[in-house]
Amino acid sequence: MNISAAEEESAQEIHIPADIDWEMLDKSKFFFLGAALFSGVSATLYPVVLVKTRQQVAQVQLSGIGTAFSIVKHGGFQALYRGFGTSLMGTIPARALYMAALEVTKSNVGSITVKLGLPEPTAAAIANAVAGLTAAMVAQLVWTPIDVVSQRLMVQSSSSQFRYVNGIDAFRKIVNSHGPKGLYRGFGISILTYAPSNAVWWASYSVAQRLVWGGIGCYLKGGGDETIRPDSKTVMAVQGASAAMAGGISALITMPLDTIKTRLQVLDGEENRLRGPTIGQTVRNLVKEGGWLACYRGLGPRWASMSISATTMITTYEFLKRLSAKNQEGLL
């Protein structure tokens, strides 16, 4: 399904470049370049994720800046990248699964919704939501074990019950203590966090793009030209702004679930060695520590991380798709 067709109908004054679907991509180039580009994005954003994770498991709450200064003071700047190697090893295959599931699902669901006679904007929003949901669920099969290990490395201190030398050591100790299921602690809540988050994000992104392009069309309507052909910089700016809006909405809606997931995977797991805590126990511990607002610990860093990540990810992703297109001339 060509999503841009709906955009052209809703803003006829603006000629938007054609969307690139799964069949138009050179798959080998898509996955190779994708691994390189998104590894760079992950490296840039990792310190923010680490600060957010530290805030979520802290007994005494500090601001994001205060937490970052504390980490650097006690461990140097390299401490902001604790667990990054492990995280990167999981990010590459997880991203590959995510991108493949996203594009295949979006193409198939989009075609089905159009055939059902749904309006093009509605069909696009549904296709994006279902694709985001499916991609998140598939990627979590790889990402959850890596997430558990990297988060243990992120939050360990001299007072931690377990001390890990590196990701392999953490992996071995978790399996020895809890069995393979220890690597999937929080898998259910991860699905409940990331699947709706991705569905909300991709649907919001689709709607936000239409709103932004519609606003540009209304603003330029009196300019006299019937057709406006935005350059690549304008298209990228609209995609980035739409992604930031969608990221902020998604962060706010799913923040409590993310906090509970992190506590299940890290803090409460260390306190309860023989048997993992329930979601109910984790929520009660959070509320006891700081009331219901404790579920929103780390919202600032997560909001910033998701907005920046979304903007960076979508502009990188759209750029990647254009680089990986089989027929470059057909995109003009």
Side-chain angles (χ1 to χ4, degrees):
M1 182 185 72
N2 192 336
I3 300 296
S4 66
E7 294 165 344
E8 292 173 2
E9 288 179 7
S10 61
Q12 295 179 358
E13 299 86 359
I14 302 177
H15 177 79
I16 303 171
D19 187 60
I20 303 169
D21 62 26
W22 180 247
E23 298 301 324
M24 299 167 64
L25 293 172
D26 180 330
K27 309 302 186 298
S28 58
K29 186 186 291 186
F30 180 66
F31 288 121
F32 177 77
L33 293 176
L37 289 172
F38 283 111
S39 293
V41 172
S42 297
T44 302
L45 297 173
Y46 190 81
V48 181
V49 176
L50 186 142
V51 169
K52 182 267 298 181
T53 303
R54 285 290 188 92
Q55 281 190 292
Q56 288 177 320
V57 301
Q59 302 291 328
V60 179
Q61 191 61 19
L62 294 175
S63 67
I65 294 176
T67 301
F69 274 116
S70 177
I71 293 169
V72 173
K73 179 180 178 180
H74 292 94
F77 284 101
Q78 67 269 24
L80 292 172
Y81 280 91
R82 183 173 290 159
F84 176 67
T86 301
S87 177
L88 186 62
M89 284 193 300
T91 296
I92 293 174
R95 284 285 187 189
L97 280 172
Y98 184 93
M99 291 187 296
L102 180 75
E103 290 299 326
V104 171
T105 306
K106 188 193 299 185
S107 179
N108 291 333
V109 174
S111 299
I112 292 170
T113 51
V114 169
K115 289 177 181 178
L116 291 174
L118 293 175
E120 196 78 38
T122 304
I126 292 174
N128 276 278
V130 175
L133 184 76
T134 304
M137 293 177 69
V138 171
Q140 280 307 308
L141 293 172
V142 174
W143 183 247
T144 296
I146 299 299
D147 208 19
V148 169
V149 173
S150 63
Q151 286 184 340
R152 294 289 181 92
L153 292 171
M154 283 181 190
V155 304
Q156 76 172 346
S157 63
S158 57
S159 61
S160 297
Q161 181 178 345
F162 296 103
R163 291 288 295 169
Y164 308 115
V165 178
N166 50 39
I168 295 175
D169 182 51
F171 180 93
R172 180 178 57 81
K173 287 179 178 177
I174 292 170
V175 172
N176 287 341
S177 298
H178 305 285
K181 67 179 181 180
L183 295 171
Y184 280 89
R185 171 169 284 150
F187 179 72
I189 194 71
S190 293
I191 293 294
L192 290 176
T193 300
Y194 291 120
S197 175
N198 275 264
V200 169
W201 190 90
W202 281 103
S204 298
Y205 174 67
S206 177
V207 172
Q209 267 207 102
R210 296 174 192 285
L211 291 175
V212 173
W213 280 122
I216 293 174
C218 290
Y219 177 75
L220 298 175
K221 198 171 184 179
D225 294 329
E226 292 185 1
T227 302
I228 299 168
R229 297 180 180 274
D231 57 21
S232 58
K233 292 182 180 179
T234 302
V235 173
M236 187 174 294
V238 170
Q239 290 171 342
S242 302
M245 292 166 60
I249 293 170
S250 182
L252 184 62
I253 292 173
T254 61
M255 185 67 212
L257 289 171
D258 185 67
T259 301
I260 295 167
K261 173 192 73 70
T262 301
R263 296 289 291 252
L264 279 170
Q265 291 178 327
V266 181
L267 184 61
D268 293 328
E270 287 200 351
E271 292 173 349
N272 211 336
R273 180 176 178 179
L274 296 178
R275 183 185 176 192
T278 65
I279 293 175
Q281 289 172 334
T282 302
V283 172
R284 284 193 293 273
N285 288 342
L286 272 169
V287 174
K288 184 178 179 180
E289 289 173 18
W292 288 104
L293 286 179
C295 293
Y296 282 87
R297 284 178 177 173
L299 176 60
R302 187 168 190 254
W303 183 294
S305 174
M306 286 192 69
S307 296
I308 296 171
S309 175
T311 302
T312 307
M313 184 274 288
I314 201 65
T315 51
T316 302
Y317 189 63
E318 296 291 353
F319 177 64
L320 169 64
K321 287 171 70 176
R322 293 193 173 278
L323 284 179
S324 305
K326 295 176 183 177
N327 183 9
Q328 296 288 332
E329 295 181 0
L331 303 178
L332 302 177

